[in-house]
């Protein structure tokens, strides 16, 4: 499809995506205040709507691969754009995120994030952030679910390289929970910034879990190798030319 037409369709998609968020908030918020299950249902409904509308408006199909975790685990996920969040939340039954503190004050998103048990941290204060993260996770143990953390700490464009931070390893060690790596290629089609969305097949793949009780340094090395190699494979499948990493 010609670029101008695809860009216009992308703009329509983005506009309706936020309108749908507002509409679902009007419908679900009174129910979510009364019962937390409706907050999960609202998030699930919204994510499936975004996946469906992306397919029909901009030709962006999506797929979940691997064994979807449904028990108490950490998910260490590659983060390339908002769409990988959409895919993960649409797949797991009780998602909650380690997220930057500023998002708590975002309309709609902030309320639902708190309602489903997301943990807000100040990324500018690394040591304090890790301590608060551990304390908040432990105090939220009464909210069972899948705790999603982005080991690189931010969105990383397709093909870009950013080191993995220690926070994921600390959580793994302190919580005693298994760690499920998750790879993606969504950044090939849905970039970190901008309106344009490309047609294709966006994938999030859950990889074999790393069981609890292992040495943190070893786990972090395995997590990075596993997620990066799988993400490179998915991006190559999508036609993206992956550069060779050099040490």
């Amino acid at each position: 499809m010609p670029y101008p037409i695809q860009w216009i369709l992308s703009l329509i998609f983005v506009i309706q995506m936020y309108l749908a968020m507002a509409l679902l908030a009007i419908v679900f918020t009174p129910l979510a205040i009364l019962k937390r299950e409706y907050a999960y249902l609202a998030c699930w409904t919204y994510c499936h709507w975004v996946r469906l509308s992306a397919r029909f408006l901009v030709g962006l199909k999506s797929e979940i691969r691997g064994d979807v975790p449904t028990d108490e685990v950490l998910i260490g996920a590659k983060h390339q754009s908002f769409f990988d969040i959409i895919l993960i939340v649409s797949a797991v039954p009780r998602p909650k995120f380690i997220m930057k503190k500023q998002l708590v004050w975002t309309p709609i998103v902030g309320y639902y994030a708190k309602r489903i048990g997301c943990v807000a941290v100040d990324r500018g204060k690394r040591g304090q952030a890790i301590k608060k993260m551990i304390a908040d996770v432990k105090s939220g143990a009464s909210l069972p679910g899948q705790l999603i953390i982005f080991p690189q700490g931010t969105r990383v464009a397709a093909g870009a390289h950013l080191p993995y931070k220690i926070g994921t390893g600390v959580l793994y060690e302190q919580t005693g929970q298994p760690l499920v790596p998750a790879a993606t290629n969504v950044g090939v089609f849905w970039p970190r910034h901008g309106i344009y969305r490309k047609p294709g097949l966006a994938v999030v793949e859950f990889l074999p879990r790393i069981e609890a009780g292992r040495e943190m340094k070893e786990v972090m090395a395995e997590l990075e190798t596993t997620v990066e190699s799988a993400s490179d494979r998915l991006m190559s499948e999508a036609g993206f030319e992956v550069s060779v990493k050099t040490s």
Side-chain angles (χ1 to χ4, degrees), residues 107-144:
I108 303 175
V109 172
Y111 170 76
Y112 279 92
K114 288 187 286 185
R115 195 71 176 114
I116 66 175
C118 293
V119 179
V121 297
D122 188 340
R123 292 191 304 184
K125 301 176 181 178
R126 181 178 173 182
Q128 293 179 22
I130 291 176
K131 289 180 181 179
K132 183 179 185 301
M133 186 166 58
I134 296 298
D136 286 352
V137 168
K138 288 184 175 181
S139 68
S142 59
L143 292 178

Side-chain angles (χ1 to χ4, degrees), residues 23-33 38-39 41-43 45-46 112:
L23 178 60
L24 288 172
I26 292 171
V27 173
F28 278 102
T29 298
L31 298 170
I33 291 172
Y38 287 107
L41 180 59
C43 294
T45 302
Y46 177 70
Y112 279 92

